[in-house]
Amino acid sequence: MVLDALLWKPLLEASAQTIVGAIGSYAFAKVIETALYKNLYQGPLDFWMRGLQQGGISEGDQVYIDGLVSPYIQLFPGNPFGNAKKWRNVYDFDGKIDSEKYQAMEFLNGSDSSLRLKSLNGESLIGIFARYGYVGEGLLGVVSTTYLKNVIPDFFHPDFFGRVARIGGRVARCPTQHGFVLQGIAGHSGVKLDTTPYKELYYLQVNSIYLRRKPHESTCSLLGSQWSLTDSKNEQYLLEYGHFSDRSELKICAEKLRARPQWNKTKVYFDEMTADSADVTFSRIFI
């Protein structure tokens, strides 16, 4: 099957544009921290609500977030307080929709599909989550790979999922193409969607990571979806839901993905650290 005929291709191209936009506009700047943190947030939900929605911070501000720093990021990042609205819109339409388009909309609006990438041009994408986190409720961060490896030497190890830390950085925005892609699918399906939240994406230009080392401060977990995209039009999206922090559970999810009849038609796999071939990695295909 021709790759261009599959609906997940423009969805992932849009995600790649977001990633390239974040990396391209990232400028690492060393910040001298003061003893008191003016903008300190307890996890990304606190950052989104108290910081952005209630007007506590704006683009360019230096902030600090206590939470989980992870190599897993959201494939389709955004304000997590819009997740319920997006998910309701998947079911709220008057017209007819075929299974192929519906699969695409479910995949885009699910919010917890994860992605793990290798370093890009000297910078790395990181996920910032709550200490006991959920991939659908996070924040995207960009950080110098050299600095990241100095702080967390095993960050790119296949078994690594995250560490509890205080993450500092400057608030920035980059354009995202997801809204246009979703609008196109919805338009052909008679679905009415508000694409305003997709027009710009907030992320963090990370300039400091301070790890929590005491046992009672460092326990953590991360829940989300593993996925594979195939060139089978009837089942383009293979997903498994589990804890990245539980190696046995992660192994079971991976085995279930590989046991699916469509697995041998995989064209894109979510994890560049454990992919069977570089030919199915997100970076090779979309960046």
Side-chain angles (χ1 to χ4, degrees):
M1 178 176 293
V2 179
L3 193 63
D4 290 342
L6 300 165
L7 280 175
W8 52 254
K9 186 173 185 290
L11 295 182
L12 265 64
E13 286 175 337
S15 184
Q17 288 296 318
T18 295
I19 291 169
V20 171
I23 290 291
S25 61
Y26 174 77
F28 185 79
K30 185 175 178 62
V31 173
I32 301 175
E33 297 178 36
T34 58
L36 298 176
Y37 297 107
K38 179 182 177 182
N39 292 329
L40 175 60
Y41 296 93
Q42 299 303 311
L45 289 179
D46 189 29
F47 168 84
W48 284 105
M49 174 62 77
R50 186 166 57 89
L52 292 174
Q53 293 190 186
Q54 295 183 357
I57 56 175
S58 59
E59 187 175 0
D61 286 349
Q62 174 74 22
V63 300
Y64 300 90
I65 301 174
D66 285 337
L68 178 71
V69 57
S70 173
Y72 295 102
I73 64 173
Q74 290 173 273
L75 176 61
F76 300 113
N79 185 341
F81 288 102
N83 287 350
K85 183 178 180 180
K86 287 196 302 179
W87 190 246
R88 286 196 302 271
N89 285 334
V90 174
Y91 300 95
D92 185 20
F93 56 88
D94 297 324
K96 293 183 178 180
I97 184 170
D98 62 33
S99 60
E100 183 185 352
K101 291 186 177 69
Y102 191 76
Q103 284 182 68
M105 293 183 66
E106 272 195 315
F107 185 64
L108 177 61
N109 286 292
S111 79
D112 64 5
S113 294
S114 61
L115 181 66
R116 185 162 64 163
L117 303 176
K118 297 178 180 178
S119 177
L120 299 168
N121 300 323
E123 275 79 47
S124 296
L125 290 174
I126 62 172
I128 301 171
F129 305 100
R131 178 176 170 182
Y132 301 103
Y134 170 61
V135 170
E137 297 176 346
L139 176 66
L140 183 66
V142 183
V143 64
S144 161
T145 301
T146 299
Y147 175 76
L148 180 62
K149 292 173 74 172
N150 284 337
V151 177
I152 310 176
D154 58 348
F155 189 85
F156 294 101
H157 190 281
D159 291 334
F160 181 79
F161 76 92
R163 289 282 302 272
V164 180
R166 175 164 291 175
I167 305 108
R170 294 199 176 275
V171 180
R173 288 189 294 181
C174 68
T176 175
Q177 303 298 318
H178 299 151
F180 298 106
V181 176
L182 181 60
Q183 192 173 45
I185 294 173
H188 287 295
S189 312
V191 182
K192 296 180 180 179
L193 290 177
D194 176 17
T195 59
T196 303
Y198 295 92
K199 291 182 178 178
E200 290 186 316
L201 171 70
Y202 281 96
Y203 71 103
L204 202 64
Q205 296 178 336
V206 175
N207 45 46
S208 65
I209 299 173
Y210 296 110
L211 299 178
R212 301 298 189 190
R213 302 186 184 279
K214 296 180 180 178
H216 71 279
E217 295 178 337
S218 59
T219 54
C220 54
S221 64
L222 183 62
L223 177 65
S225 291
Q226 303 180 50
W227 52 270
S228 166
L229 302 183
T230 79
D231 64 0
S232 171
K233 290 194 70 173
N234 292 330
E235 195 164 358
Q236 295 182 35
Y237 311 91
L238 311 181
L239 290 95
E240 290 293 336
Y241 188 64
H243 284 89
F244 295 99
S245 48
D246 186 327
R247 291 184 185 178
S248 61
E249 189 172 333
L250 198 64
K251 182 174 182 290
I252 291 172
C253 289
E255 289 173 349
K256 285 186 175 181
L257 278 179
R258 285 168 167 77
R260 302 277 283 276
Q262 297 80 12
W263 170 257
N264 61 355
K265 295 184 177 183
T266 290
K267 295 299 179 183
V268 189
Y269 187 61
F270 82 104
D271 187 358
E272 295 196 354
M273 309 302 171
T274 60
D276 293 341
S277 167
D279 292 336
V280 298
T281 60
F282 189 88
S283 295
R284 172 70 64 86
I285 299 170
F286 295 102
I287 297 180

